[in-house]
Amino acid sequence: LAMVPLGTGGDFRRTLRIPLDTKAAIQVITAGLVRRLDAGCVTYQDHEGSTAVRHFINIADAGIGGDVAHGVNTGPKFLGAASFWLTSFTTLLTYKNKPMTVTVDGSTHDLVAQQVVIANCQYFGGGMRMAPAASPTDGVFDVILIGNAGKIESIRGMGAIRSGNHLDQSNSKIQLIYGK
């Protein structure tokens, strides 16, 4: 399996350092090395209460991130990765944090959260570096909880998430609960 970047956000290719230029990406494919990548499987309850299963290779998230992804996927994409920024801000205006129960390797966290992120790779949302130490080849997912953050606090923190510095700060609302 090889990848030529054609998506809206380009986040999976960022972690793998595949260039955006198609010819350069093909050069990486033909000269690159073969490696195994981790894949994830998430089981959750959908809006109707039914159990659902999804597989992923980049990032899976619940909360505001799911609403943003839905908005981007059903809306116009002519802005490319900027579609994620615009949709993030408009979604944040009406989004209400949700009570969630998250169980990772037998450890349960009950909280009101804005977002739960299970990261196999570093980027999502059009270049947001949510899991700066994540690697799709290490056999470990990074799990990040963003607790009951407010709208202003979230807007202020977006720059730190984009640069990948949010886990270095003493912010009790953002926690790496599993991973590196």
Side-chain angles (χ1 to χ4, degrees), residues 22-44:
T22 304
K23 288 182 181 177
I26 291 170
Q27 177 62 30
V28 169
I29 291 168
T30 58
L33 53 114
V34 175
R35 56 187 162 167
R36 291 178 181 255
L37 298 179
D38 304 328
C41 180
V42 176
T43 303
Y44 62 97

Side-chain angles (χ1 to χ4, degrees), residues 64-168:
I64 193 169
D67 288 5
V68 170
H70 177 74
V72 170
N73 289 331
T74 58
K77 296 180 179 70
F78 65 90
L79 294 174
S83 299
F84 286 96
W85 280 95
L86 180 61
T87 306
S88 293
F89 283 116
T90 58
T91 302
L92 185 59
L93 295 176
T94 59
Y95 187 80
K96 294 190 183 338
N97 298 338
K98 311 268 190 289
M100 297 187 192
T101 301
V102 180
T103 303
V104 179
D105 287 346
S107 178
T108 299
H109 304 266
D110 287 307
L111 70 157
V112 174
Q114 184 183 79
Q115 189 163 326
V116 176
V117 178
I118 305 162
N120 191 35
C121 295
Q122 297 178 16
Y123 299 91
F124 81 149
M128 303 284 278
R129 197 169 182 207
M130 179 57 78
S135 168
T137 60
D138 66 0
V140 177
F141 296 117
D142 291 15
V143 180
I144 299 150
L145 302 179
I146 300 180
N148 198 14
K151 294 175 188 341
I152 303 244
E153 185 177 13
S154 297
I155 290 169
R156 285 185 182 151
M158 287 182 103
I161 292 173
R162 185 157 188 78
S163 67
N165 294 326
H166 58 290
L167 298 175
D168 300 335

